[in-house]
Amino acid sequence: MLHDASFRGVAFFVEAHTLTGGRRLVQHEYPLRDLPYAEDMGRKGRMYSVECYLLGADYLSRADELMGALEEGGPATLVHPYLGSRRVAVAEFSRQESTREGGLVRFKVSFVETGDSAEPDSVRDTSWAVGAQADQAGLTLQEDFAETWSTSKFSEWVRESGIVSVRRGVASIRSAAELAALPAMSASTLFAQATALHGDVTSLVGMPQSLASRLLGLISFLGSSSGGTVGWSAQSALASLYSGATPSTVVPATPGRIQAAANDQAVTDLVRRAALVEAARGSATLEYESYDQAAALRDSLADALDTTAASAPDAVYLALTDLRTAMVVDITARGADLARLGTWTPTSTIPALVVAHKIYGDAGRAEDIVARNRVRRPGAVPGGMPLEVLVDA
């Protein structure tokens, strides 16, 4: 069946056409080998060479219209008389008029087939963004501590008070570490680092940047020591550091005591803020079993970051706010397709295997139901007892 030829809706007559195709080959020639190797890179784009013409009293205006269509940018639909509709782009064309053929204009057009621009899909690495913001926040905390901490130009008592404050902070980190189910090797390393810092503080009190770096490193190790990623037990340990209430400080009158109080508060703030930063960092490596679990941690960390940032200096405020944004985006994106929590109530006492089969069509998921609901007798799940179950997203 022949079709009326046109391009961009401009009709014309076709006298002849040629279709050119083939394969995209890369020829490899090697020394001492007579036969080359042709690497096939896929089908070559087809080229449609069309010889067409226009005639009639209005052929000049129609020829100008066709030429405008051919020169317009971008691909368009070619209705080929023999091949039907093709999506093509114009490679080149020529226009010919002669006195011998009055009232007629000829075109030779080379069309090449084209498709949509197939660019690689880009996916934002939201977990990496959390880590990058956490790194920046850590640097900001270190600089803020260094601006506040000072023991020089004050009495020895200020120095001794600062040592006590740092050791108190180290002790709180050790206590938090005991809450985390750390591997024996990790626990031993962390406690060794804490002991070393406890002793080194006497030489670090005059170097606030180094002192802050050591404290930050200790908290970072706590956050990353659960098998190389921040586990749920490490999250709980970090939460014990950042969720504790900040003791109210009564500012004394003398300059030395004012600085001692500022040093003590600087240590407290650094430990709390650093623990929160590491908890946010760790949220990007956690495996969530349900959307509800992910959303609960996201909301908890977001609230803690909001509260902590509200009383922080401007630079720390901005760093914690940026970290909050990255954390919320990451957990929301990774948790979007996770199963939701729901409830299911058996009408009678039945085995957990039957419950799993009724809910999921898979008796193999009975173990999850038993563990999630702490069912004491898996062979007899009581009827009428609402069960917490995962509902596929």
Side-chain angles (χ1 to χ4, degrees):
M1 177 180 176
L2 294 178
H3 303 272
D4 294 331
S6 66
F7 181 67
R8 295 191 194 276
V10 180
F12 50 83
F13 300 103
V14 173
E15 185 174 24
H17 82 99
T18 302
L19 189 153
T20 305
R23 306 291 296 179
R24 288 179 287 121
L25 301 179
V26 177
Q27 191 168 346
H28 302 276
E29 295 183 301
Y30 303 95
L32 305 180
R33 284 183 56 178
D34 294 335
L35 293 178
Y37 165 65
E39 183 179 2
D40 192 335
M41 305 295 288
R43 182 172 71 81
K44 183 181 293 186
R46 292 172 180 170
M47 177 173 286
Y48 306 97
S49 299
V50 177
E51 297 179 21
C52 59
Y53 61 92
L54 296 165
L55 75 168
D58 59 345
Y59 81 98
L60 287 176
S61 60
R62 289 163 55 201
D64 291 340
E65 185 179 1
L66 177 58
M67 191 166 70
L70 295 173
E71 291 180 331
E72 185 176 335
T77 299
L78 165 69
V79 179
H80 195 283
Y82 310 114
L83 304 176
S85 296
R86 294 288 186 271
R87 185 170 177 80
V88 299
V90 178
E92 61 180 9
F93 72 91
S94 63
R95 173 176 173 171
Q96 182 185 22
E97 299 172 70
S98 69
T99 55
R100 186 178 68 253
E101 296 179 318
L104 181 144
V105 58
R106 295 183 181 275
F107 285 85
K108 291 183 180 179
V109 188
S110 296
F111 297 100
V112 292
E113 69 174 346
T114 183
D116 295 327
S117 177
E119 299 177 355
D121 292 335
S122 62
V123 178
R124 183 185 178 191
D125 189 346
T126 56
S127 296
W128 177 89
V130 173
Q133 292 296 342
D135 289 342
Q136 183 58 49
L139 292 175
T140 304
L141 293 181
Q142 184 174 345
E143 293 172 0
D144 177 70
F145 178 86
E147 290 178 1
T148 304
W149 179 275
S150 177
T151 57
S152 61
K153 300 180 182 179
F154 293 99
S155 66
E156 179 65 15
W157 179 85
V158 174
R159 180 178 178 277
E160 293 296 331
S161 176
I163 293 173
V164 171
S165 296
V166 173
R167 286 176 172 170
R168 186 186 304 120
V170 173
S172 68
I173 298 171
R174 286 182 60 110
S175 298
E178 294 173 357
L179 300 175
L182 303 182
M185 184 68 72
S186 297
S188 176
T189 302
L190 188 146
F191 291 138
Q193 291 182 3
T195 300
L197 180 54
H198 186 276
D200 294 343
V201 66
T202 55
S203 60
L204 291 172
V205 289
M207 299 180 287
Q209 287 277 2
S210 299
L211 179 57
S213 178
R214 291 285 294 274
L215 285 168
L216 289 169
L218 193 60
I219 297 172
S220 178
F221 188 86
L222 170 61
S224 63
S225 56
S226 291
T229 60
V230 177
W232 289 99
S233 63
Q235 281 284 336
S236 299
L238 292 169
S240 70
L241 289 174
Y242 68 74
S243 60
T246 304
S248 58
T249 302
V250 178
V251 180
T254 66
R257 292 186 178 275
I258 290 174
Q259 186 59 50
N263 289 344
D264 184 69
Q265 189 63 46
V267 172
T268 299
D269 289 341
L270 180 64
V271 171
R272 293 180 65 248
R273 293 166 182 167
L276 184 53
V277 167
E278 292 306 318
R281 184 201 303 274
S283 71
T285 62
L286 282 173
E287 294 293 332
Y288 303 101
E289 64 178 17
S290 69
Y291 169 82
D292 303 74
Q293 185 186 45
L297 181 61
R298 177 197 64 196
D299 296 344
S300 174
L301 288 175
D303 289 344
L305 284 165
D306 279 339
T307 301
T308 303
S311 59
D314 291 346
V316 176
Y317 172 85
L318 292 174
L320 294 181
T321 302
D322 289 343
L323 176 59
R324 179 192 184 280
T325 300
M327 179 275 300
V328 169
V329 169
D330 175 61
I331 296 182
T332 301
R334 294 195 297 125
D337 296 328
L338 294 178
R340 266 63 169 174
L341 288 178
T343 58
W344 189 84
T345 305
T347 57
S348 59
T349 300
I350 53 177
L353 291 172
V354 177
V355 173
H357 181 74
K358 285 180 174 290
I359 297 174
Y360 305 116
D362 179 8
R365 297 178 68 172
E367 185 176 344
D368 175 69
I369 295 174
V370 171
R372 185 176 299 280
N373 295 276
R374 297 181 175 85
V375 177
R376 298 178 61 184
R377 298 174 59 192
V381 179
M385 181 181 76
L387 299 174
E388 181 183 278
V389 297
L390 291 176
V391 181
D392 292 338

